[in-house]
Amino acid sequence: FAGGNMAIVANEEIDKIIDLVNGEKVGTLFMSDKTLHSKEHWMVYNAYAKGSIVVDDGAKKALLERKSLLPKGIVSVNGIFEENSVVFITDNLGNVIGKGITNYSSKDIVNVMGKHSIEAKNILKSDKEEIVHANLLVLVEGEKYGRIK
């Protein structure tokens, strides 16, 4: 389970679990190097993705550097979804980069994909330039989380 610690302990005595919680060396403990905040955990494990956004290599690089997804880097949109929907973000090969919450509907994103942020803001008559803000994005590259519903 990504983001959490895990222990393997013999089930012969219930006290072994208590000993483990108290820090005693019982069984095998696997410590996670990832920490997910509650909203990130919800996005990754509990929220169904309503669609996906495919990005180019430049956008992928920016996302992996914890930057927001801008319209310029979007190649295509799959599915029909409203603003504030959870979506997968994938590269051109279909590899999942992350899951995020969109600022716009799929229809609006299709209208501005590939465009510079200023042009997109004018088309959408909005002050938000990001399609998915970095604060509403969880990177899960190389891992498979969730399904599209």
PDB file of all heavy atoms in Angstrom, residues 71 104 111-112 115-129:
ATOM      1  N   PRO A  71      -2.724  24.851 -20.533  1.00  0.00           N
ATOM      2  CA  PRO A  71      -3.353  24.405 -21.783  1.00  0.00           C
ATOM      3  C   PRO A  71      -2.359  24.058 -22.892  1.00  0.00           C
ATOM      4  O   PRO A  71      -2.591  23.136 -23.668  1.00  0.00           O
ATOM      5  CB  PRO A  71      -4.209  25.605 -22.201  1.00  0.00           C
ATOM      6  CG  PRO A  71      -4.388  26.420 -20.982  1.00  0.00           C
ATOM      7  CD  PRO A  71      -3.205  26.161 -20.107  1.00  0.00           C
ATOM      8  N   TYR A 104     -11.553  23.181 -15.166  1.00  0.00           N
ATOM      9  CA  TYR A 104     -12.469  23.372 -16.299  1.00  0.00           C
ATOM     10  C   TYR A 104     -13.097  22.054 -16.726  1.00  0.00           C
ATOM     11  O   TYR A 104     -12.577  20.979 -16.437  1.00  0.00           O
ATOM     12  CB  TYR A 104     -11.718  23.978 -17.494  1.00  0.00           C
ATOM     13  CG  TYR A 104     -11.142  25.332 -17.191  1.00  0.00           C
ATOM     14  CD1 TYR A 104      -9.803  25.492 -16.893  1.00  0.00           C
ATOM     15  CD2 TYR A 104     -11.955  26.459 -17.174  1.00  0.00           C
ATOM     16  CE1 TYR A 104      -9.279  26.744 -16.587  1.00  0.00           C
ATOM     17  CE2 TYR A 104     -11.455  27.712 -16.878  1.00  0.00           C
ATOM     18  CZ  TYR A 104     -10.107  27.841 -16.583  1.00  0.00           C
ATOM     19  OH  TYR A 104      -9.602  29.072 -16.280  1.00  0.00           O
ATOM     20  N   ASN A 111     -11.452  23.226 -26.045  1.00  0.00           N
ATOM     21  CA  ASN A 111     -11.440  24.526 -26.739  1.00  0.00           C
ATOM     22  C   ASN A 111     -10.133  25.295 -26.581  1.00  0.00           C
ATOM     23  O   ASN A 111      -9.839  26.175 -27.387  1.00  0.00           O
ATOM     24  CB  ASN A 111     -12.597  25.405 -26.254  1.00  0.00           C
ATOM     25  CG  ASN A 111     -13.933  24.924 -26.783  1.00  0.00           C
ATOM     26  OD1 ASN A 111     -14.018  24.302 -27.831  1.00  0.00           O
ATOM     27  ND2 ASN A 111     -14.982  25.190 -26.031  1.00  0.00           N
ATOM     28  N   VAL A 112      -9.362  24.980 -25.525  1.00  0.00           N
ATOM     29  CA  VAL A 112      -8.133  25.753 -25.292  1.00  0.00           C
ATOM     30  C   VAL A 112      -6.857  24.912 -25.340  1.00  0.00           C
ATOM     31  O   VAL A 112      -5.756  25.474 -25.213  1.00  0.00           O
ATOM     32  CB  VAL A 112      -8.197  26.505 -23.937  1.00  0.00           C
ATOM     33  CG1 VAL A 112      -9.329  27.510 -23.948  1.00  0.00           C
ATOM     34  CG2 VAL A 112      -8.299  25.560 -22.762  1.00  0.00           C
ATOM     35  N   LYS A 115      -3.118  25.942 -26.595  1.00  0.00           N
ATOM     36  CA  LYS A 115      -3.027  27.409 -26.639  1.00  0.00           C
ATOM     37  C   LYS A 115      -2.230  27.942 -25.445  1.00  0.00           C
ATOM     38  O   LYS A 115      -2.136  27.311 -24.409  1.00  0.00           O
ATOM     39  CB  LYS A 115      -4.414  28.021 -26.649  1.00  0.00           C
ATOM     40  CG  LYS A 115      -5.252  27.624 -27.873  1.00  0.00           C
ATOM     41  CD  LYS A 115      -6.546  28.372 -27.918  1.00  0.00           C
ATOM     42  CE  LYS A 115      -7.443  28.051 -29.084  1.00  0.00           C
ATOM     43  NZ  LYS A 115      -6.918  27.409 -30.229  1.00  0.00           N
ATOM     44  N   HIS A 116      -1.662  29.136 -25.631  1.00  0.00           N
ATOM     45  CA  HIS A 116      -0.966  29.800 -24.534  1.00  0.00           C
ATOM     46  C   HIS A 116      -1.976  30.218 -23.469  1.00  0.00           C
ATOM     47  O   HIS A 116      -3.147  30.467 -23.770  1.00  0.00           O
ATOM     48  CB  HIS A 116      -0.193  31.017 -25.048  1.00  0.00           C
ATOM     49  CG  HIS A 116       0.997  30.645 -25.871  1.00  0.00           C
ATOM     50  ND1 HIS A 116       2.174  30.204 -25.322  1.00  0.00           N
ATOM     51  CD2 HIS A 116       1.184  30.638 -27.215  1.00  0.00           C
ATOM     52  CE1 HIS A 116       3.033  29.936 -26.278  1.00  0.00           C
ATOM     53  NE2 HIS A 116       2.458  30.192 -27.440  1.00  0.00           N
ATOM     54  N   SER A 117      -1.528  30.333 -22.242  1.00  0.00           N
ATOM     55  CA  SER A 117      -2.411  30.610 -21.103  1.00  0.00           C
ATOM     56  C   SER A 117      -3.210  31.896 -21.267  1.00  0.00           C
ATOM     57  O   SER A 117      -4.402  31.929 -20.951  1.00  0.00           O
ATOM     58  CB  SER A 117      -1.598  30.669 -19.809  1.00  0.00           C
ATOM     59  OG  SER A 117      -1.017  29.428 -19.551  1.00  0.00           O
ATOM     60  N   ILE A 118      -2.583  32.947 -21.770  1.00  0.00           N
ATOM     61  CA  ILE A 118      -3.290  34.243 -21.913  1.00  0.00           C
ATOM     62  C   ILE A 118      -4.447  34.100 -22.897  1.00  0.00           C
ATOM     63  O   ILE A 118      -5.547  34.584 -22.647  1.00  0.00           O
ATOM     64  CB  ILE A 118      -2.307  35.337 -22.382  1.00  0.00           C
ATOM     65  CG1 ILE A 118      -1.267  35.545 -21.309  1.00  0.00           C
ATOM     66  CG2 ILE A 118      -3.032  36.582 -22.802  1.00  0.00           C
ATOM     67  CD1 ILE A 118      -1.020  36.925 -20.830  1.00  0.00           C
ATOM     68  N   GLU A 119      -4.183  33.413 -24.010  1.00  0.00           N
ATOM     69  CA  GLU A 119      -5.234  33.193 -25.007  1.00  0.00           C
ATOM     70  C   GLU A 119      -6.355  32.333 -24.420  1.00  0.00           C
ATOM     71  O   GLU A 119      -7.542  32.614 -24.615  1.00  0.00           O
ATOM     72  CB  GLU A 119      -4.628  32.517 -26.246  1.00  0.00           C
ATOM     73  CG  GLU A 119      -5.589  32.388 -27.406  1.00  0.00           C
ATOM     74  CD  GLU A 119      -4.956  31.737 -28.622  1.00  0.00           C
ATOM     75  OE1 GLU A 119      -3.757  31.398 -28.592  1.00  0.00           O
ATOM     76  OE2 GLU A 119      -5.694  31.549 -29.606  1.00  0.00           O
ATOM     77  N   ALA A 120      -5.981  31.294 -23.665  1.00  0.00           N
ATOM     78  CA  ALA A 120      -6.980  30.413 -23.056  1.00  0.00           C
ATOM     79  C   ALA A 120      -7.842  31.178 -22.061  1.00  0.00           C
ATOM     80  O   ALA A 120      -9.064  31.006 -22.024  1.00  0.00           O
ATOM     81  CB  ALA A 120      -6.288  29.230 -22.379  1.00  0.00           C
ATOM     82  N   LYS A 121      -7.231  32.023 -21.248  1.00  0.00           N
ATOM     83  CA  LYS A 121      -7.987  32.809 -20.263  1.00  0.00           C
ATOM     84  C   LYS A 121      -8.997  33.714 -20.961  1.00  0.00           C
ATOM     85  O   LYS A 121     -10.131  33.877 -20.497  1.00  0.00           O
ATOM     86  CB  LYS A 121      -7.022  33.644 -19.409  1.00  0.00           C
ATOM     87  CG  LYS A 121      -6.323  32.843 -18.341  1.00  0.00           C
ATOM     88  CD  LYS A 121      -5.186  33.583 -17.663  1.00  0.00           C
ATOM     89  CE  LYS A 121      -5.616  34.831 -16.971  1.00  0.00           C
ATOM     90  NZ  LYS A 121      -4.534  35.445 -16.169  1.00  0.00           N
ATOM     91  N   ASN A 122      -8.602  34.286 -22.096  1.00  0.00           N
ATOM     92  CA  ASN A 122      -9.523  35.148 -22.850  1.00  0.00           C
ATOM     93  C   ASN A 122     -10.673  34.345 -23.448  1.00  0.00           C
ATOM     94  O   ASN A 122     -11.819  34.795 -23.421  1.00  0.00           O
ATOM     95  CB  ASN A 122      -8.773  35.894 -23.953  1.00  0.00           C
ATOM     96  CG  ASN A 122      -7.856  36.969 -23.404  1.00  0.00           C
ATOM     97  OD1 ASN A 122      -8.082  37.492 -22.308  1.00  0.00           O
ATOM     98  ND2 ASN A 122      -6.810  37.287 -24.145  1.00  0.00           N
ATOM     99  N   ILE A 123     -10.375  33.173 -23.977  1.00  0.00           N
ATOM    100  CA  ILE A 123     -11.416  32.327 -24.559  1.00  0.00           C
ATOM    101  C   ILE A 123     -12.415  31.894 -23.489  1.00  0.00           C
ATOM    102  O   ILE A 123     -13.624  31.929 -23.704  1.00  0.00           O
ATOM    103  CB  ILE A 123     -10.797  31.082 -25.247  1.00  0.00           C
ATOM    104  CG1 ILE A 123     -10.037  31.507 -26.502  1.00  0.00           C
ATOM    105  CG2 ILE A 123     -11.867  30.039 -25.585  1.00  0.00           C
ATOM    106  CD1 ILE A 123      -9.179  30.414 -27.109  1.00  0.00           C
ATOM    107  N   LEU A 124     -11.899  31.510 -22.326  1.00  0.00           N
ATOM    108  CA  LEU A 124     -12.746  30.992 -21.253  1.00  0.00           C
ATOM    109  C   LEU A 124     -13.315  32.091 -20.353  1.00  0.00           C
ATOM    110  O   LEU A 124     -14.134  31.806 -19.483  1.00  0.00           O
ATOM    111  CB  LEU A 124     -11.964  29.990 -20.404  1.00  0.00           C
ATOM    112  CG  LEU A 124     -11.490  28.745 -21.144  1.00  0.00           C
ATOM    113  CD1 LEU A 124     -10.579  27.912 -20.268  1.00  0.00           C
ATOM    114  CD2 LEU A 124     -12.672  27.916 -21.633  1.00  0.00           C
ATOM    115  N   LYS A 125     -12.843  33.328 -20.571  1.00  0.00           N
ATOM    116  CA  LYS A 125     -13.279  34.459 -19.747  1.00  0.00           C
ATOM    117  C   LYS A 125     -13.115  34.114 -18.259  1.00  0.00           C
ATOM    118  O   LYS A 125     -14.047  34.197 -17.469  1.00  0.00           O
ATOM    119  CB  LYS A 125     -14.702  34.854 -20.074  1.00  0.00           C
ATOM    120  CG  LYS A 125     -14.857  35.344 -21.508  1.00  0.00           C
ATOM    121  CD  LYS A 125     -16.291  35.629 -21.846  1.00  0.00           C
ATOM    122  CE  LYS A 125     -16.525  36.183 -23.207  1.00  0.00           C
ATOM    123  NZ  LYS A 125     -15.775  35.697 -24.317  1.00  0.00           N
ATOM    124  N   SER A 126     -11.890  33.721 -17.924  1.00  0.00           N
ATOM    125  CA  SER A 126     -11.589  33.274 -16.571  1.00  0.00           C
ATOM    126  C   SER A 126     -10.252  33.842 -16.123  1.00  0.00           C
ATOM    127  O   SER A 126      -9.416  34.197 -16.945  1.00  0.00           O
ATOM    128  CB  SER A 126     -11.533  31.744 -16.541  1.00  0.00           C
ATOM    129  OG  SER A 126     -11.072  31.291 -15.295  1.00  0.00           O
ATOM    130  N   ASP A 127     -10.044  33.902 -14.825  1.00  0.00           N
ATOM    131  CA  ASP A 127      -8.758  34.349 -14.305  1.00  0.00           C
ATOM    132  C   ASP A 127      -7.838  33.169 -13.974  1.00  0.00           C
ATOM    133  O   ASP A 127      -6.688  33.354 -13.601  1.00  0.00           O
ATOM    134  CB  ASP A 127      -8.949  35.227 -13.068  1.00  0.00           C
ATOM    135  CG  ASP A 127      -9.641  34.509 -11.927  1.00  0.00           C
ATOM    136  OD1 ASP A 127     -10.265  33.460 -12.171  1.00  0.00           O
ATOM    137  OD2 ASP A 127      -9.563  35.002 -10.792  1.00  0.00           O
ATOM    138  N   LYS A 128      -8.329  31.935 -14.121  1.00  0.00           N
ATOM    139  CA  LYS A 128      -7.517  30.744 -13.844  1.00  0.00           C
ATOM    140  C   LYS A 128      -6.772  30.337 -15.108  1.00  0.00           C
ATOM    141  O   LYS A 128      -7.394  30.077 -16.129  1.00  0.00           O
ATOM    142  CB  LYS A 128      -8.401  29.585 -13.382  1.00  0.00           C
ATOM    143  CG  LYS A 128      -9.114  29.824 -12.078  1.00  0.00           C
ATOM    144  CD  LYS A 128      -9.999  28.638 -11.741  1.00  0.00           C
ATOM    145  CE  LYS A 128     -10.854  28.927 -10.538  1.00  0.00           C
ATOM    146  NZ  LYS A 128     -11.842  27.868 -10.318  1.00  0.00           N
ATOM    147  N   GLU A 129      -5.452  30.277 -15.014  1.00  0.00           N
ATOM    148  CA  GLU A 129      -4.692  29.867 -16.188  1.00  0.00           C
ATOM    149  C   GLU A 129      -4.378  28.378 -16.187  1.00  0.00           C
ATOM    150  O   GLU A 129      -4.094  27.803 -17.230  1.00  0.00           O
ATOM    151  CB  GLU A 129      -3.417  30.684 -16.339  1.00  0.00           C
ATOM    152  CG  GLU A 129      -2.405  30.516 -15.246  1.00  0.00           C
ATOM    153  CD  GLU A 129      -1.180  31.373 -15.473  1.00  0.00           C
ATOM    154  OE1 GLU A 129      -1.259  32.586 -15.268  1.00  0.00           O
ATOM    155  OE2 GLU A 129      -0.148  30.801 -15.861  1.00  0.00           O
TER     156      GLU A 129
END
